[in-house]
Amino acid sequence: MTQTISIKTANPSDEKVAAIIEELSTNLYLRFGSDGKNSFTDWQYNNSKFVFAVAEIDKEIVGCGAIRPINDNIGEVKRMYSKFPGKKIGQTILAFLEENAKTIGYINLVLETRVKNKEAIQFYLKQGYKIIPNYGKYKDRPEAICLGKSLK
């Protein structure tokens, strides 16, 4: 039986939500030696250009993802995580974020992951993202790979 994944926006500071973000950070640290927290410090919960979403199955938070502005036309996908690979949690979150991004008025979405994170790269390529030149603070970072997608 397929379990229903429900997606909703949430405050990343909420205690229940913070637990999945912490799980993501631990997972990243164990795999890559960096928890990614420093690139999520400027979150603005009350700003409509920022969206944080959680996925739930049977009231358990099983994934998360976010978008924040790079500029008026470009949003950046952050903190994507699925507790259970292969259950379409990531795809469901990303589709929700992309729909929200269009509503906000973003024309493109961009993101960064580690070159070593082959699973993430494959996931994003399957969702229609393409490898783009490294942007912003990732420009001169050979361990980083950036991807982007047009929402038009």
Side-chain angles (χ1 to χ4, degrees):
M1 187 176 95
T2 335
Q3 294 171 307
T4 306
I5 303 168
S6 66
I7 308 287
K8 64 181 184 186
T9 56
N11 183 338
S13 302
D14 180 286
E15 198 176 306
K16 286 183 183 138
V17 176
I20 195 83
I21 297 170
E22 196 53 45
E23 188 175 318
L24 160 64
S25 296
T26 301
N27 178 297
L28 289 174
Y29 185 79
L30 291 172
R31 292 168 65 204
F32 307 112
S34 169
D35 61 18
K37 285 182 185 176
N38 65 351
S39 60
F40 195 66
T41 53
D42 59 350
W43 190 259
Q44 296 174 26
Y45 181 65
N46 297 323
N47 182 333
S48 63
K49 291 271 191 181
F50 288 71
V51 178
F52 190 89
V54 292
E56 291 182 343
I57 297 176
D58 297 330
K59 296 195 173 27
E60 177 191 3
I61 296 178
V62 295
C64 61
I67 323 172
R68 69 170 178 199
I70 297 274
N71 62 38
D72 285 345
N73 297 320
I74 301 172
E76 183 178 31
V77 177
K78 300 299 292 179
R79 305 315 268 166
M80 280 289 294
Y81 179 66
S82 167
K83 200 170 185 166
F84 306 111
K87 294 196 181 288
K88 302 213 180 304
I89 296 167
Q91 285 171 284
T92 308
I93 294 168
L94 192 58
F96 178 88
L97 292 174
E98 288 174 357
E99 282 309 307
N100 274 268
K102 287 178 194 173
T103 304
I104 290 166
Y106 293 133
I107 297 167
N108 294 300
L109 285 178
V110 296
L111 63 97
E112 177 273 342
T113 190
R114 294 291 171 105
V115 172
K116 287 183 196 165
N117 197 345
K118 304 282 185 228
E119 300 90 345
I121 296 166
Q122 287 308 309
F123 168 78
Y124 289 115
L125 290 172
K126 281 184 187 159
Q127 310 312 312
Y129 286 74
K130 303 206 176 344
I131 295 170
I132 60 170
N134 285 8
Y135 62 89
K137 70 178 189 176
Y138 307 113
K139 268 196 176 106
D140 297 315
R141 307 254 306 264
E143 73 279 10
I145 183 169
C146 294
L147 295 102
K149 181 178 184 177
S150 169
L151 298 175
K152 285 186 163 185

